Amino acid sequence: MSDATMTVGGVRALLRDFVALTKPRIISLLLVTTIAPMFVAGRPGWELVLVVFVGGYLMAGGANAAGAHFSGPRTSGFLNRPSLPF
């Protein structure tokens, strides 16, 4: 086995850290304020709602992760959050 293999617990911890970088609690507010007006305006198809949900989460999560990376671990707002592995 090479040194690059990870245990199942290590992979789960890594995935948990990546999800934490996206700040899902904040993104949920964004998605509610995006998807709710779609239903107020009419009857959107489930495909459109799914695309908006997934696309919105990925875009906002990527922006949050990039912000964490470019701010660096020395920024006071990111002291207790996981950092990117590179």
Side-chain angles (χ1 to χ4, degrees), residues 23-78:
K23 303 177 189 173
R25 289 186 291 169
I26 295 171
I27 294 176
S28 66
L29 297 173
L30 170 76
L31 293 174
V32 166
T33 59
T34 303
I35 294 174
M38 292 171 62
F39 286 96
V40 172
R43 300 184 76 184
W46 65 271
E47 299 94 352
L48 178 62
V49 174
L50 182 66
V51 167
V52 169
F53 182 84
V54 172
Y57 189 92
L58 291 175
M59 290 295 290
N64 288 333
H69 176 70
F70 291 120
S71 295
R74 295 178 302 276
T75 306
S76 62
F78 292 99

